[in-house]
Amino acid sequence: MAVAGGRITAGVGANLIGQHAQDRNQEATVYCGNLDPQMTEELVWELFIQAGPVVNVYLPKDRVTNNHQGYGFVEFRTEEDADYAVKILNMIKVFGKPIRVNKASQDKRQQDVGANLFIGNLDPDVDEKLLYDTFNAFGQITQTPKIMRDPETGASRGFGFVSYDSFQASDGAIEAMGGQFLCNRPITVSYAYKKDTKGERHGTPAERMMADQMAATMAAQSRPNQLFSAGPKDRPGAGPGQEAPAAPAAPAAPPPGAPPPPAPGPAAEGL
């Protein structure tokens, strides 16, 4: 990453998803896909800087043609800027193609329910984009799929991980993708092992119960504010905690040609 004119320029040679993944702020990084071949790091930089200060831009390149592969990652200085970029830039058209923009990590503190999958026997040509496009069909992926790579060469080690926001999505992916061919190799799909445990995998009944409780809590928090939905209660005539009486309806107009109603007077009042 170079500095030109007091501004951090696009890191053409930087790698945000390979051996330098530990150097980026995952929470402040967005994935951008469906990029036109004419897009460059500089154009992506100029587009995304409209949302906030950009730290780095990375477009993975084809090893033979050196052309980008239609997707990339943009790291902002703050999570708020990344969230704003998703709101204003997702599905806008660039060179006639609507680009896809979403958080590389969809608020992992709330959405990491344990629906984490291990994907094995990966072909060397399988990259993060192919994993994302393949497994995104089963549900919301909470963070960029991770392929484990050799720290020296960046070559795939043949396995990776995909995380969903629900067990319904991960169960569906296991059922549909186990044994399917991806780049001429049948892949294995199973729940990943938990960290710091003795051989225990994700997907346990306890995790599923907690995920259901978390989903219920988030649904309750996302309900619209109904504080004023019942209407004002402090008009004249309304007692504590009671609705005010409705105003009397205006009398209907007489039909055309009918005589007007008599004006109220002593005779009418005595009827």
Side-chain angles (χ1 to χ4, degrees):
M1 192 164 20
V3 177
R7 187 187 75 171
I8 304 177
T9 60
V12 178
N15 187 340
L16 287 176
I17 58 176
Q19 57 266 36
H20 300 301
Q22 68 274 14
D23 296 332
R24 73 172 174 179
N25 182 355
Q26 178 85 352
E27 304 296 337
T29 300
V30 298
Y31 164 90
C32 51
N34 199 37
L35 300 180
D36 187 86
Q38 302 177 70
M39 290 293 287
T40 63
E41 284 91 347
E42 288 75 17
L43 289 176
V44 172
W45 183 282
E46 294 297 338
L47 175 63
F48 280 82
I49 204 172
Q50 309 303 317
V54 173
V55 174
N56 208 340
V57 174
Y58 171 59
L59 303 183
K61 301 293 183 66
D62 184 273
R63 299 175 184 174
V64 177
T65 66
N66 201 36
N67 296 326
H68 72 73
Q69 301 180 39
Y71 74 102
F73 298 89
V74 179
E75 181 183 2
F76 290 90
R77 289 185 183 175
T78 67
E79 297 178 34
E80 291 75 18
D81 291 335
D83 292 333
Y84 186 57
V86 173
K87 292 181 180 179
I88 68 171
L89 297 177
N90 186 41
M91 302 307 293
I92 70 167
K93 287 188 176 182
V94 182
F95 294 113
K97 298 177 65 175
I99 65 173
R100 295 168 53 191
V101 182
N102 59 267
K103 287 289 292 291
S105 175
Q106 297 279 352
D107 197 359
K108 188 176 179 182
R109 290 166 295 182
Q110 292 186 2
Q111 298 197 26
D112 188 3
V113 298
N116 305 328
L117 301 183
F118 171 87
I119 318 297
N121 199 36
L122 293 178
D123 187 275
D125 291 333
V126 175
D127 59 10
E128 288 81 0
K129 178 180 183 296
L130 183 55
L131 275 188
Y132 182 92
D133 291 341
T134 300
F135 285 87
N136 190 49
F138 302 98
Q140 177 65 52
I141 294 177
T142 60
Q143 56 183 310
T144 306
K146 184 177 183 180
I147 293 179
M148 304 307 296
R149 299 180 178 275
D150 184 277
E152 300 295 332
T153 65
S156 170
R157 294 168 58 185
F159 64 95
F161 300 91
V162 175
S163 298
Y164 288 102
D165 67 347
S166 72
F167 284 102
Q168 289 83 357
S170 57
D171 289 341
I174 291 175
E175 181 178 357
M177 293 304 300
Q180 295 295 321
F181 280 77
L182 200 60
C183 290
N184 300 317
R185 279 192 187 182
I187 62 175
T188 63
V189 184
S190 61
Y191 279 106
Y193 286 107
K194 295 181 180 181
K195 294 181 179 179
D196 304 322
T197 62
K198 297 180 179 179
E200 183 180 4
R201 293 182 182 271
H202 286 286
T204 62
E207 277 187 326
R208 293 173 183 270
M209 182 179 66
M210 293 180 63
D212 291 340
Q213 294 175 350
M214 182 182 301
T217 301
M218 293 180 66
Q221 292 175 347
S222 63
R223 291 174 183 168
N225 191 327
Q226 299 179 344
L227 179 61
F228 303 106
S229 62
K233 301 179 184 298
D234 54 355
R235 293 183 304 196
Q242 296 179 346
E243 293 285 351
E269 291 176 357
L271 293 179

Short mmCIF file of all heavy atoms in Angstrom, two decimals, residues 177-218:
data_model
loop_
_atom_site.label_atom_id
_atom_site.label_comp_id
_atom_site.label_asym_id
_atom_site.label_seq_id
_atom_site.Cartn_x
_atom_site.Cartn_y
_atom_site.Cartn_z
N MET A 177 -25.10 -30.84 -0.62
CA MET A 177 -23.78 -30.71 -1.23
C MET A 177 -22.81 -31.83 -0.89
O MET A 177 -21.78 -31.97 -1.55
CB MET A 177 -23.15 -29.37 -0.82
CG MET A 177 -23.87 -28.16 -1.39
SD MET A 177 -24.00 -28.18 -3.19
CE MET A 177 -22.26 -28.21 -3.65
N GLY A 178 -23.10 -32.64 0.13
CA GLY A 178 -22.19 -33.74 0.47
C GLY A 178 -22.02 -34.70 -0.69
O GLY A 178 -22.99 -35.26 -1.19
N GLY A 179 -20.78 -34.88 -1.15
CA GLY A 179 -20.49 -35.79 -2.25
C GLY A 179 -20.66 -35.19 -3.63
O GLY A 179 -20.36 -35.86 -4.64
N GLN A 180 -21.10 -33.93 -3.72
CA GLN A 180 -21.25 -33.30 -5.03
C GLN A 180 -19.88 -32.88 -5.57
O GLN A 180 -18.95 -32.59 -4.82
CB GLN A 180 -22.15 -32.07 -4.91
CG GLN A 180 -23.58 -32.38 -4.52
CD GLN A 180 -24.31 -33.19 -5.57
OE1 GLN A 180 -24.14 -32.96 -6.76
NE2 GLN A 180 -25.10 -34.16 -5.12
N PHE A 181 -19.77 -32.84 -6.89
CA PHE A 181 -18.50 -32.49 -7.53
C PHE A 181 -18.39 -30.97 -7.66
O PHE A 181 -19.32 -30.30 -8.10
CB PHE A 181 -18.40 -33.14 -8.90
CG PHE A 181 -18.00 -34.60 -8.85
CD1 PHE A 181 -18.92 -35.57 -8.51
CD2 PHE A 181 -16.70 -34.98 -9.13
CE1 PHE A 181 -18.57 -36.91 -8.44
CE2 PHE A 181 -16.33 -36.31 -9.08
CZ PHE A 181 -17.26 -37.28 -8.73
N LEU A 182 -17.24 -30.47 -7.28
CA LEU A 182 -16.91 -29.06 -7.41
C LEU A 182 -15.52 -28.99 -8.04
O LEU A 182 -14.53 -29.39 -7.42
CB LEU A 182 -16.93 -28.37 -6.04
CG LEU A 182 -17.08 -26.85 -6.02
CD1 LEU A 182 -18.37 -26.42 -6.68
CD2 LEU A 182 -17.05 -26.33 -4.57
N CYS A 183 -15.48 -28.56 -9.31
CA CYS A 183 -14.21 -28.57 -10.06
C CYS A 183 -13.61 -29.98 -10.11
O CYS A 183 -12.43 -30.19 -9.78
CB CYS A 183 -13.22 -27.58 -9.47
SG CYS A 183 -13.67 -25.85 -9.74
N ASN A 184 -14.44 -30.94 -10.48
CA ASN A 184 -14.00 -32.32 -10.75
C ASN A 184 -13.58 -33.10 -9.51
O ASN A 184 -12.95 -34.15 -9.62
CB ASN A 184 -12.83 -32.33 -11.75
CG ASN A 184 -13.21 -31.70 -13.09
OD1 ASN A 184 -14.30 -31.95 -13.60
ND2 ASN A 184 -12.34 -30.87 -13.63
N ARG A 185 -13.96 -32.62 -8.32
CA ARG A 185 -13.70 -33.38 -7.10
C ARG A 185 -14.96 -33.45 -6.25
O ARG A 185 -15.63 -32.43 -6.07
CB ARG A 185 -12.59 -32.73 -6.26
CG ARG A 185 -11.18 -33.04 -6.72
CD ARG A 185 -10.20 -32.60 -5.63
NE ARG A 185 -8.82 -32.71 -6.05
CZ ARG A 185 -7.78 -32.42 -5.28
NH1 ARG A 185 -8.01 -31.96 -4.03
NH2 ARG A 185 -6.55 -32.54 -5.70
N PRO A 186 -15.29 -34.65 -5.73
CA PRO A 186 -16.43 -34.73 -4.81
C PRO A 186 -16.04 -34.16 -3.45
O PRO A 186 -15.08 -34.60 -2.83
CB PRO A 186 -16.70 -36.24 -4.74
CG PRO A 186 -15.38 -36.88 -5.02
CD PRO A 186 -14.67 -35.97 -5.98
N ILE A 187 -16.77 -33.16 -3.00
CA ILE A 187 -16.42 -32.49 -1.75
C ILE A 187 -17.12 -33.16 -0.57
O ILE A 187 -18.15 -33.84 -0.73
CB ILE A 187 -16.80 -31.00 -1.79
CG1 ILE A 187 -18.31 -30.82 -1.97
CG2 ILE A 187 -16.03 -30.29 -2.90
CD1 ILE A 187 -18.76 -29.37 -1.89
N THR A 188 -16.55 -33.01 0.59
CA THR A 188 -17.18 -33.47 1.83
C THR A 188 -17.69 -32.25 2.59
O THR A 188 -17.03 -31.20 2.62
CB THR A 188 -16.18 -34.24 2.70
OG1 THR A 188 -15.11 -33.37 3.10
CG2 THR A 188 -15.61 -35.44 1.95
N VAL A 189 -18.87 -32.37 3.15
CA VAL A 189 -19.48 -31.26 3.88
C VAL A 189 -19.98 -31.79 5.22
O VAL A 189 -20.78 -32.72 5.28
CB VAL A 189 -20.66 -30.64 3.10
CG1 VAL A 189 -21.20 -29.42 3.84
CG2 VAL A 189 -20.23 -30.25 1.69
N SER A 190 -19.49 -31.20 6.29
CA SER A 190 -19.90 -31.61 7.64
C SER A 190 -19.75 -30.43 8.58
O SER A 190 -19.17 -29.40 8.21
CB SER A 190 -19.04 -32.79 8.13
OG SER A 190 -17.67 -32.40 8.18
N TYR A 191 -20.28 -30.59 9.79
CA TYR A 191 -20.10 -29.52 10.77
C TYR A 191 -18.65 -29.48 11.23
O TYR A 191 -18.02 -30.52 11.45
CB TYR A 191 -21.04 -29.71 11.96
CG TYR A 191 -22.43 -29.21 11.68
CD1 TYR A 191 -23.49 -30.09 11.45
CD2 TYR A 191 -22.70 -27.84 11.61
CE1 TYR A 191 -24.77 -29.62 11.16
CE2 TYR A 191 -23.97 -27.37 11.33
CZ TYR A 191 -24.99 -28.25 11.10
OH TYR A 191 -26.24 -27.78 10.81
N ALA A 192 -18.13 -28.27 11.37
CA ALA A 192 -16.74 -28.09 11.77
C ALA A 192 -16.57 -28.39 13.25
O ALA A 192 -17.52 -28.32 14.04
CB ALA A 192 -16.30 -26.66 11.47
N TYR A 193 -15.35 -28.72 13.63
CA TYR A 193 -15.04 -28.94 15.04
C TYR A 193 -15.01 -27.61 15.77
O TYR A 193 -14.56 -26.59 15.22
CB TYR A 193 -13.69 -29.64 15.20
CG TYR A 193 -13.72 -31.10 14.84
CD1 TYR A 193 -13.13 -31.56 13.67
CD2 TYR A 193 -14.32 -32.03 15.68
CE1 TYR A 193 -13.15 -32.91 13.33
CE2 TYR A 193 -14.35 -33.39 15.36
CZ TYR A 193 -13.76 -33.81 14.19
OH TYR A 193 -13.80 -35.14 13.86
N LYS A 194 -15.47 -27.61 16.99
CA LYS A 194 -15.41 -26.41 17.81
C LYS A 194 -13.98 -26.15 18.26
O LYS A 194 -13.20 -27.08 18.46
CB LYS A 194 -16.30 -26.55 19.05
CG LYS A 194 -17.79 -26.66 18.75
CD LYS A 194 -18.57 -26.76 20.05
CE LYS A 194 -20.05 -26.88 19.81
NZ LYS A 194 -20.80 -26.96 21.09
N LYS A 195 -13.66 -24.89 18.41
CA LYS A 195 -12.34 -24.53 18.92
C LYS A 195 -12.27 -24.84 20.41
O LYS A 195 -13.24 -24.70 21.14
CB LYS A 195 -12.06 -23.05 18.68
CG LYS A 195 -11.95 -22.67 17.20
CD LYS A 195 -11.65 -21.19 17.04
CE LYS A 195 -11.51 -20.82 15.57
NZ LYS A 195 -11.23 -19.37 15.40
N ASP A 196 -11.11 -25.24 20.83
CA ASP A 196 -10.83 -25.48 22.26
C ASP A 196 -11.74 -26.54 22.87
O ASP A 196 -12.15 -26.47 24.03
CB ASP A 196 -10.96 -24.17 23.07
CG ASP A 196 -10.06 -23.06 22.53
OD1 ASP A 196 -8.94 -23.39 22.11
OD2 ASP A 196 -10.50 -21.89 22.53
N THR A 197 -12.10 -27.54 22.06
CA THR A 197 -12.88 -28.67 22.57
C THR A 197 -12.20 -29.96 22.12
O THR A 197 -11.40 -29.96 21.19
CB THR A 197 -14.33 -28.67 22.06
OG1 THR A 197 -14.34 -28.77 20.63
CG2 THR A 197 -15.05 -27.39 22.47
N LYS A 198 -12.57 -31.04 22.79
CA LYS A 198 -11.98 -32.34 22.47
C LYS A 198 -12.87 -33.08 21.47
O LYS A 198 -13.66 -33.96 21.83
CB LYS A 198 -11.80 -33.17 23.74
CG LYS A 198 -10.82 -32.54 24.73
CD LYS A 198 -10.67 -33.41 25.98
CE LYS A 198 -9.68 -32.79 26.96
NZ LYS A 198 -9.53 -33.60 28.20
N GLY A 199 -12.74 -32.70 20.22
CA GLY A 199 -13.44 -33.42 19.17
C GLY A 199 -14.93 -33.16 19.07
O GLY A 199 -15.65 -33.94 18.44
N GLU A 200 -15.45 -32.09 19.67
CA GLU A 200 -16.88 -31.80 19.60
C GLU A 200 -17.17 -30.91 18.39
O GLU A 200 -16.50 -29.92 18.15
CB GLU A 200 -17.36 -31.10 20.87
CG GLU A 200 -18.87 -30.85 20.88
CD GLU A 200 -19.33 -30.15 22.15
OE1 GLU A 200 -18.46 -29.80 22.98
OE2 GLU A 200 -20.54 -29.96 22.30
N ARG A 201 -18.16 -31.31 17.61
CA ARG A 201 -18.52 -30.56 16.41
C ARG A 201 -19.64 -29.57 16.71
O ARG A 201 -20.37 -29.71 17.68
CB ARG A 201 -18.96 -31.50 15.29
CG ARG A 201 -17.85 -32.39 14.73
CD ARG A 201 -18.38 -33.24 13.59
NE ARG A 201 -17.39 -34.14 13.04
CZ ARG A 201 -16.55 -33.84 12.05
NH1 ARG A 201 -16.62 -32.65 11.48
NH2 ARG A 201 -15.68 -34.73 11.61
N HIS A 202 -19.76 -28.58 15.83
CA HIS A 202 -20.89 -27.67 15.88
C HIS A 202 -22.17 -28.41 15.49
O HIS A 202 -22.13 -29.52 14.96
CB HIS A 202 -20.67 -26.48 14.93
CG HIS A 202 -19.67 -25.50 15.41
ND1 HIS A 202 -19.92 -24.61 16.44
CD2 HIS A 202 -18.40 -25.24 15.00
CE1 HIS A 202 -18.85 -23.85 16.64
NE2 HIS A 202 -17.92 -24.21 15.78
N GLY A 203 -23.31 -27.76 15.76
CA GLY A 203 -24.59 -28.36 15.41
C GLY A 203 -25.22 -29.16 16.53
O GLY A 203 -26.14 -29.94 16.28
N THR A 204 -24.76 -28.98 17.76
CA THR A 204 -25.30 -29.72 18.89
C THR A 204 -26.70 -29.21 19.25
O THR A 204 -27.07 -28.08 18.91
CB THR A 204 -24.38 -29.58 20.12
OG1 THR A 204 -24.33 -28.18 20.49
CG2 THR A 204 -22.97 -30.07 19.79
N PRO A 205 -27.49 -30.02 19.96
CA PRO A 205 -28.82 -29.55 20.39
C PRO A 205 -28.76 -28.27 21.22
O PRO A 205 -29.65 -27.41 21.12
CB PRO A 205 -29.35 -30.73 21.20
CG PRO A 205 -28.66 -31.93 20.65
CD PRO A 205 -27.29 -31.45 20.29
N ALA A 206 -27.72 -28.13 22.04
CA ALA A 206 -27.60 -26.92 22.86
C ALA A 206 -27.41 -25.69 21.97
O ALA A 206 -28.02 -24.63 22.21
CB ALA A 206 -26.44 -27.05 23.84
N GLU A 207 -26.58 -25.80 20.95
CA GLU A 207 -26.37 -24.68 20.04
C GLU A 207 -27.66 -24.33 19.30
O GLU A 207 -27.98 -23.16 19.10
CB GLU A 207 -25.27 -25.01 19.03
CG GLU A 207 -23.86 -24.79 19.54
CD GLU A 207 -22.83 -24.98 18.45
OE1 GLU A 207 -23.04 -25.84 17.56
OE2 GLU A 207 -21.81 -24.27 18.46
N ARG A 208 -28.38 -25.35 18.88
CA ARG A 208 -29.62 -25.11 18.15
C ARG A 208 -30.65 -24.41 19.03
O ARG A 208 -31.37 -23.52 18.56
CB ARG A 208 -30.16 -26.44 17.62
CG ARG A 208 -29.27 -27.07 16.54
CD ARG A 208 -29.74 -28.47 16.16
NE ARG A 208 -28.85 -29.08 15.21
CZ ARG A 208 -28.96 -28.98 13.89
NH1 ARG A 208 -29.97 -28.27 13.38
NH2 ARG A 208 -28.09 -29.56 13.08
N MET A 209 -30.73 -24.80 20.29
CA MET A 209 -31.67 -24.16 21.20
C MET A 209 -31.30 -22.70 21.41
O MET A 209 -32.16 -21.80 21.39
CB MET A 209 -31.71 -24.90 22.53
CG MET A 209 -32.71 -24.31 23.54
SD MET A 209 -32.75 -25.22 25.10
CE MET A 209 -31.10 -24.86 25.71
N MET A 210 -30.01 -22.43 21.59
CA MET A 210 -29.56 -21.05 21.77
C MET A 210 -29.80 -20.22 20.51
O MET A 210 -30.15 -19.04 20.58
CB MET A 210 -28.08 -21.02 22.14
CG MET A 210 -27.76 -21.61 23.51
SD MET A 210 -25.99 -21.56 23.91
CE MET A 210 -25.69 -19.80 23.91
N ALA A 211 -29.64 -20.85 19.35
CA ALA A 211 -29.88 -20.15 18.09
C ALA A 211 -31.35 -19.77 17.97
O ALA A 211 -31.69 -18.66 17.52
CB ALA A 211 -29.45 -21.01 16.91
N ASP A 212 -32.25 -20.67 18.37
CA ASP A 212 -33.68 -20.36 18.33
C ASP A 212 -34.02 -19.21 19.27
O ASP A 212 -34.81 -18.32 18.93
CB ASP A 212 -34.49 -21.60 18.70
CG ASP A 212 -34.41 -22.69 17.64
OD1 ASP A 212 -34.07 -22.36 16.48
OD2 ASP A 212 -34.68 -23.86 17.96
N GLN A 213 -33.42 -19.24 20.48
CA GLN A 213 -33.67 -18.16 21.42
C GLN A 213 -33.13 -16.83 20.90
O GLN A 213 -33.78 -15.78 21.04
CB GLN A 213 -33.02 -18.50 22.76
CG GLN A 213 -33.64 -19.69 23.48
CD GLN A 213 -32.89 -20.08 24.74
OE1 GLN A 213 -31.79 -19.58 25.01
NE2 GLN A 213 -33.47 -20.98 25.52
N MET A 214 -31.96 -16.86 20.26
CA MET A 214 -31.38 -15.64 19.70
C MET A 214 -32.25 -15.10 18.58
O MET A 214 -32.49 -13.88 18.48
CB MET A 214 -29.96 -15.91 19.18
CG MET A 214 -29.26 -14.68 18.63
SD MET A 214 -27.61 -15.06 17.97
CE MET A 214 -26.82 -15.72 19.43
N ALA A 215 -32.77 -15.99 17.74
CA ALA A 215 -33.63 -15.55 16.64
C ALA A 215 -34.91 -14.92 17.17
O ALA A 215 -35.39 -13.90 16.64
CB ALA A 215 -33.96 -16.74 15.73
N ALA A 216 -35.48 -15.50 18.23
CA ALA A 216 -36.69 -14.94 18.82
C ALA A 216 -36.41 -13.56 19.41
O ALA A 216 -37.22 -12.63 19.28
CB ALA A 216 -37.24 -15.88 19.88
N THR A 217 -35.27 -13.42 20.07
CA THR A 217 -34.90 -12.13 20.66
C THR A 217 -34.71 -11.06 19.59
O THR A 217 -35.19 -9.93 19.72
CB THR A 217 -33.62 -12.27 21.49
OG1 THR A 217 -33.83 -13.24 22.53
CG2 THR A 217 -33.22 -10.93 22.10
N MET A 218 -34.01 -11.42 18.52
CA MET A 218 -33.77 -10.45 17.45
C MET A 218 -35.07 -10.08 16.75
O MET A 218 -35.26 -8.93 16.35
CB MET A 218 -32.77 -11.03 16.45
CG MET A 218 -31.37 -11.23 17.01
SD MET A 218 -30.21 -11.91 15.80
CE MET A 218 -30.13 -10.56 14.63
#
